Amino acid sequence: MERIIDTKVGKIKGYIKDNNRCEFNGIPYAITERFELPKPYIIDGIYDTSNPILDCVQYGTFRDNSEEFYEKEFRGGLTFNYVESPMTLSITTPLEPKKSSVLIFIHGGGFENGMVNEYPWGYDSEYAKRNIILVSIGYRLNVLSLYRNLNLGLHDQLFAIKWVYDNIEAFGGNKNNMTLMGQSAGAMSITDLLYTKKLDGIIKSAIMVSGGGVIPGLLGPLSKDKFAPFWDDVDKMAGINNEDDRKNVKIDVLWNAWYERSRNKYGFRTVQPGIDGEIIKDKPQKLLKNREELDIPIMLGVTSQDFIAPIIYHLALNWAKDNDKKKKSNVYCYFFDRCLPGNLYKAFHAADLWYLFGNMDKSWRPFEDIDYKLKDTMIDYVVNFINNHDPNGDGLKEWKPTTRKFKNFKYFSGSDSDSYIKPSKAKKMVWRTMLKDHGPM
C-alpha cells in the first residue's frame, strides 16, 4: 500500500510495510557537483522511494571487501548503488504518526565507508511501534568529502538535519523534539556539529556511540597548511594540475590516489576531517579544553572491545565529569559488555548497534533470549531519552547521570543489565582490549 507525503520540496511516495510502519527510502535531500557544497534537491512530480538508494563511492566500489568483518556483519547479501552525490536519507514512520519524536542516525565507517540502509539501522523494527520516527542520513565520504579540508560530508550532514527539521512535520513528526544519534565516525561527526552552534534550537539531545568527545584528528594537527603536502601528493598521483582536472578526473583514479597515499605514506590523519575554519574551527585540544559546544543532554556509549577502547572510554568519562563541573546538561554513560553469540569476538566495536535498533532477524548470529531482553531494555531507555531527554521512566531501574562524584557507567551485559560498572573495572577491561583481547578492528 502506498502513502504520498506533500513536503516543502515536493511529493514523496512511501510504502506501508507489515501493516505497522511506513518506509520512505532513499529520499534525495540535496544534490551537487564534485567538491561543492550541497544544494537543495527540488522534486519534480512525485518521488517514488522504491527507486534504488544511492550511497557514496567507497572501498567496496573499487576493491573486493567481501571477506571483511563488517561487510559480513552489517551488509552481507545487500547490494548498493555508488555515486559521487549520495545525499539521500531514509525515513521510517509509525503507521499513524502523531507528533512523533524524531531520531536522526548518522552512520559510521571511519569517514571512508558506510551506507544509509545497512542491516542494524536501515530497517526499523522497533522505533515505529513506539511512535518514534527514524531517519538515516547518507553523506559524502573519503576523498569526496575530505579533499583539502573541505569537510563536505559534515556540510551534507548539517544540510540533511535542517532538511528533516523543515519537512518532518509532513511525515507526522515533531520538529521540536529531534535527537541526533551517531556511531563511531557518526558520533565523532556529532561532536563536530555540536561545536558549530548551527544546530541550536534544532537538536534537543544527542546519543553518541563509540566516539563521543572524539574530535577527528585528535592525534595531530589538522590545519590546511599541514595537510597541503598530502593533497599535493594526491593531485600529482592522480594527474591533477588545475581545477578542471579536479572536477573531471575519473573517480577511480582520484579515489585510488587518495587511498594509496593515505595508507602508504601519510597515515591515519588523512582519513579524518581537517580544520576548515567553519565546522572544525580550531585544533581539537583547544576545542575540548574550551568546551563551547551546544549544551544539550547527552548519552554516551562504549563497548568493552571498542576501537582504541581506553581513549573512547576516558573521553566519555571526561565529558561527563566536565559537564558536571560546568553545570551543563546531564550526561548518561553506558558500558556494553555482551559477548555476542556466533564467533569468538565479544563486545566488539559497533556490536551494540544490533541492540540499539533491534534488527536481529537481519543478522546471521544465533541470538538468544538474553539478547532479546537486553535489546528491549536498551531500546526502552533510548526511547525515554528521545522523548524526554532522560532515559528514566516506564518501570526501568534508575539510570543515574555520570558525574565527578558518581563516575560509574550503566552496565549492559545481558546477564546483569540493571547495574553499573565502576571505573576501576571498566579501565581494566578496556586496557586489556587494547593490549591483548582485540576485537575485529
Side-chain angles (χ1 to χ4, degrees):
M1 187 179 299
E2 302 172 355
R3 177 171 291 173
I4 296 177
I5 303 296
D6 194 0
T7 73
K8 294 180 180 179
V9 295
K11 294 181 178 181
I12 301 171
K13 182 191 293 185
Y15 295 86
I16 294 173
K17 302 290 184 177
D18 300 330
N19 204 36
N20 61 14
R21 67 190 187 279
C22 191
E23 295 180 357
F24 304 82
N25 291 322
I27 302 169
Y29 64 82
I31 193 167
T32 194
E33 302 297 324
R34 184 187 289 177
F35 300 143
E36 294 185 5
L37 291 172
K39 302 175 180 65
Y41 184 100
I42 305 301
I43 295 169
D44 183 15
I46 299 176
Y47 189 85
D48 188 344
T49 58
S50 65
N51 294 323
I53 298 171
L54 304 179
D55 290 293
C56 189
V57 293
Q58 52 195 276
Y59 189 94
T61 313
F62 309 108
R63 311 284 176 89
D64 178 18
N65 63 341
S66 58
E67 296 302 312
E68 191 261 346
F69 176 84
Y70 288 101
E71 186 69 17
K72 292 181 176 180
E73 184 71 17
F74 291 159
R75 307 167 199 137
L78 295 175
T79 57
F80 300 100
N81 301 278
Y82 299 114
V83 298
E84 287 194 38
S85 184
M87 286 80 86
T88 65
L89 53 83
S90 291
I91 300 175
T92 303
T93 75
L95 192 61
E96 299 295 337
K98 299 175 182 177
K99 294 288 285 186
S100 300
S101 300
V102 181
L103 176 63
I104 302 173
F105 182 73
I106 302 175
H107 68 73
F111 300 99
E112 300 181 72
N113 303 296
M115 276 71 76
V116 176
N117 277 38
E118 296 185 37
Y119 283 134
W121 57 85
Y123 302 86
D124 179 16
S125 61
E126 297 289 342
Y127 290 103
K129 67 185 181 184
R130 291 171 166 86
N131 196 37
I132 302 288
I133 291 177
L134 174 63
V135 183
S136 175
I137 64 175
Y139 54 98
R140 278 173 285 182
L141 303 164
N142 50 70
V143 64
L144 293 171
S145 167
L146 305 175
Y147 188 78
R148 295 194 181 274
N149 293 43
L150 290 172
N151 293 340
L152 293 168
L154 295 175
H155 282 282
D156 295 346
Q157 293 168 14
L158 270 176
F159 201 97
I161 293 164
K162 292 178 179 178
W163 187 100
V164 175
Y165 183 78
D166 289 338
N167 291 282
I168 203 63
E169 287 183 335
F171 294 85
N174 180 2
K175 72 175 187 178
N176 296 313
N177 198 15
M178 303 204 315
T179 294
L180 272 185
M181 181 181 189
Q183 190 271 339
S184 194
M188 296 162 72
S189 297
I190 292 174
T191 303
D192 291 327
L193 298 180
L194 293 182
Y195 276 91
T196 69
K197 296 296 182 71
K198 294 182 179 181
L199 296 178
D200 193 7
I202 295 177
I203 297 300
K204 302 303 182 184
S205 59
I207 303 169
M208 292 181 273
V209 181
S210 297
V214 183
I215 297 177
L218 192 62
L219 303 179
L222 292 162
S223 68
K224 292 181 180 180
D225 290 342
K226 291 288 185 180
F227 269 161
F230 165 71
W231 289 114
D232 291 345
D233 208 2
V234 170
D235 282 353
K236 181 178 180 181
M237 186 174 181
I240 295 173
N241 298 300
N242 52 48
E243 188 64 22
D244 284 342
D245 291 343
R246 290 190 183 95
K247 292 297 181 74
N248 296 313
V249 64
K250 291 183 178 180
I251 184 57
D252 60 328
V253 174
L254 177 63
W255 183 90
N256 275 292
W258 166 80
Y259 184 83
E260 291 295 332
R261 303 320 288 156
S262 65
R263 261 52 179 192
N264 296 328
K265 185 175 180 179
Y266 292 90
F268 178 76
R269 288 172 291 168
T270 58
V271 298
Q272 305 292 300
I275 295 172
D276 58 13
E278 183 174 354
I279 293 182
I280 302 178
K281 295 184 179 181
D282 211 326
K283 292 182 179 181
Q285 296 87 341
K286 188 172 181 180
L287 291 174
L288 288 171
K289 181 179 179 180
N290 293 343
R291 288 295 310 277
E292 296 177 353
E293 80 285 356
L294 184 64
D295 182 16
I296 55 176
I298 299 290
M299 181 182 290
L300 296 174
V302 178
T303 72
S304 58
Q305 281 193 302
D306 227 322
F307 175 59
I308 54 172
I311 295 176
I312 297 289
Y313 170 76
H314 283 284
L315 283 168
L317 177 60
N318 290 338
W319 188 315
K321 289 162 58 179
D322 204 33
N323 259 33
D324 177 51
K325 180 180 179 180
K326 295 179 179 178
K327 301 186 184 306
K328 291 189 173 186
S329 299
N330 286 338
V331 177
Y332 299 90
C333 297
Y334 75 77
F335 193 93
F336 182 87
D337 187 38
R338 169 63 178 160
C339 298
L340 275 66
N343 60 20
L344 296 177
Y345 293 127
K346 300 178 182 177
F348 56 86
H349 181 73
D352 47 349
L353 289 176
W354 288 119
Y355 300 78
L356 290 168
F357 289 94
N359 294 320
M360 292 173 170
D361 61 319
K362 303 293 183 181
S363 175
W364 62 269
R365 294 181 177 275
F367 286 113
E368 304 165 5
D369 287 345
I370 194 172
D371 296 292
Y372 290 97
K373 291 178 181 177
L374 177 57
K375 174 262 297 183
D376 288 337
T377 298
M378 293 182 69
I379 289 177
D380 285 344
Y381 278 122
V382 169
V383 167
N384 287 340
F385 187 77
I386 295 167
N387 284 326
N388 307 311
H389 318 302
D390 182 328
N392 295 292
D394 296 334
L396 295 169
K397 290 193 176 181
E398 183 182 13
W399 183 343
K400 297 179 181 179
T402 303
T403 66
R404 288 172 294 169
K405 291 185 177 180
F406 187 79
K407 301 176 185 178
N408 300 343
F409 284 29
K410 194 71 171 173
Y411 187 55
F412 293 126
S413 67
S415 60
D416 190 13
S417 294
D418 286 316
S419 64
Y420 295 94
I421 186 170
K422 295 181 179 180
S424 57
K425 183 177 180 181
K427 290 176 183 179
K428 183 178 180 179
M429 293 177 72
V430 296
W431 276 109
R432 176 183 172 87
T433 291
M434 177 67 80
L435 299 175
K436 184 178 180 180
D437 195 17
H438 302 292
M441 295 293 288

